[in-house]
Amino acid sequence: MANNCVKITSTAGISAAGGLSAGKTSYFADKVGIGTNYPSSSLHICATDPRVRVDATTGNHPGYELLESGSRCWVMYNDPDNSDALTFKSDVDRFVIQDSGNVGIGTTSPGSKLTVQGILSTSDTACVGGFLYATCG
């Protein structure tokens, strides 16, 4: 084949020390190991400082989806309309972390270090190191 490419079909496994590239859809029936010959899960990455990169084209939102029986349970993504934030979502946005460090629960635009939209509950003591503002109504 052109460009030093070959078609490989194997029922015993494939190992590549110099690199392996697949230009079309690839299917792996069992476990895939990167940096390990003995993967212990569906995808097993072993390295000194392992990282996974998800890179979307402009205007899209890279993320990870968690599914059970084919139905999405949770998704963690970066929304192009709120690109400075990491959002966790089930059926609606639940939790957001902005690059400023602000955290929102029940809101996608937290205005302080912690913004909770909804009822806040604790089964223990809540300590406040500064002023506590409360509105009732």
Side-chain angles (χ1 to χ4, degrees):
M1 299 181 103
N3 299 325
N4 295 325
C5 294
V6 294
K7 180 179 179 180
I8 301 171
T9 302
S10 173
T11 57
I14 298 171
S15 179
L20 182 63
S21 177
K24 295 186 178 184
T25 302
S26 299
Y27 172 76
F28 298 91
D30 199 9
K31 300 172 184 163
V32 175
I34 300 173
T36 178
N37 291 327
Y38 304 100
S40 60
S41 60
S42 299
L43 176 61
H44 184 156
I45 302 171
C46 184
T48 301
D49 189 16
R51 296 167 191 255
V52 175
R53 178 177 286 188
V54 178
D55 191 358
T57 56
T58 302
N60 291 295
H61 52 283
Y64 297 96
E65 291 189 41
L66 304 175
L67 291 86
E68 184 176 328
S69 298
S71 296
R72 185 171 76 184
C73 298
W74 283 92
V75 62
M76 177 183 69
Y77 69 99
N78 177 262
D79 188 337
D81 297 328
N82 192 10
S83 63
D84 66 340
L86 178 62
T87 302
F88 295 82
K89 175 179 186 163
S90 56
D91 55 335
V92 296
D93 294 341
R94 301 289 183 188
F95 181 80
V96 66
I97 304 171
Q98 293 184 324
D99 67 353
S100 64
N102 290 354
V103 174
I105 300 174
T107 178
T108 58
S109 54
S112 58
K113 289 296 175 192
L114 177 61
T115 302
V116 178
Q117 180 65 41
I119 297 171
L120 181 62
S121 172
T122 179
S123 61
D124 205 339
T125 304
C127 298
V128 178
F131 292 102
L132 176 62
Y133 298 96
T135 57
C136 299

